[in-house]
Amino acid sequence: MFAWMNMQAVAQTLATGRVTYWSRSRQAFWVKGETSGHVQALQDLRLDCDRDCLLLVVDQWEELYTQCEDSVARDRFTEELLAATARKQSPLAVVLTVRDDFYGQLLQDRSLMDQLGEGRVDLSPMTRDELREAIEKPAAQVN
């Protein structure tokens, strides 16, 4: 699936927590899962204080390789994402997270690696204490 969001769709998504797209073919808003039941719940979408910059966080980028068997669709998705961020004065910034065992697949996509460039940050595995804190601190906040 490839879908579009205009500013009204982004606003509706933020207000409801249910991902809403603008359907160009229907010329109407489309709430993902409204009829199919395959709901997309908003995980994280951030706007700056002026609402002129959008941060998209893509967690588990490796699912692009594990969940999408169609390499043409996968390549198209990546191309569109790169094109959206490469436009001059683009309001879109993207953060990708990927497990290290899928890093090799990332390296095969030259255009993606070129655009990541110096913005890439590699994190070392957590120590036992860091892992414990990452689990216990959020759990303590919700009791």
Side-chain angles (χ1 to χ4, degrees):
M1 178 192 80
F2 194 79
W4 300 95
M5 294 178 92
N6 59 16
M7 286 308 292
Q8 292 85 4
V10 170
Q12 189 170 331
T13 297
L14 291 172
T16 65
R18 303 237 355 244
V19 180
T20 304
Y21 299 102
W22 173 253
S23 172
R24 295 185 301 172
S25 61
R26 300 177 190 143
Q27 291 295 298
F29 290 109
W30 166 48
V31 179
K32 177 70 173 121
E34 202 167 51
T35 55
S36 69
H38 299 109
V39 175
Q40 287 182 339
L42 179 64
Q43 297 300 313
D44 198 5
L45 180 71
R46 299 185 183 214
L47 299 168
D48 76 344
C49 61
D50 297 331
R51 295 178 137 333
D52 63 354
C53 185
L54 178 68
L55 174 64
L56 174 67
V57 178
V58 182
D59 192 15
Q60 298 178 327
W61 179 261
E62 64 271 8
E63 288 189 3
L64 183 64
Y65 307 111
T66 62
Q67 302 297 314
C68 181
E69 295 178 11
D70 183 348
S71 63
V72 173
R74 194 171 47 235
D75 291 346
R76 175 68 192 253
F77 175 78
T78 303
E79 288 169 13
E80 291 290 340
L81 185 63
L82 292 175
T85 59
R87 289 186 191 109
K88 195 171 188 167
Q89 298 178 340
S90 173
L92 180 63
V94 178
V95 174
L96 303 179
T97 68
V98 64
R99 289 188 349 222
D100 67 343
D101 53 328
F102 282 89
Y103 202 74
Q105 287 182 275
L106 220 58
L107 290 171
Q108 293 177 23
D109 190 334
R110 179 64 188 255
S111 59
L112 179 60
M113 292 307 293
D114 286 349
Q115 191 149 341
L116 290 175
E118 292 181 23
R120 188 179 73 238
V121 176
D122 296 322
L123 302 176
S124 300
M126 287 188 212
T127 65
R128 187 182 258 329
D129 289 339
E130 290 169 332
L131 185 56
R132 180 180 307 281
E133 182 180 344
I135 295 169
E136 290 178 352
K137 192 173 182 180
Q141 291 175 349
V142 294
N143 232 355

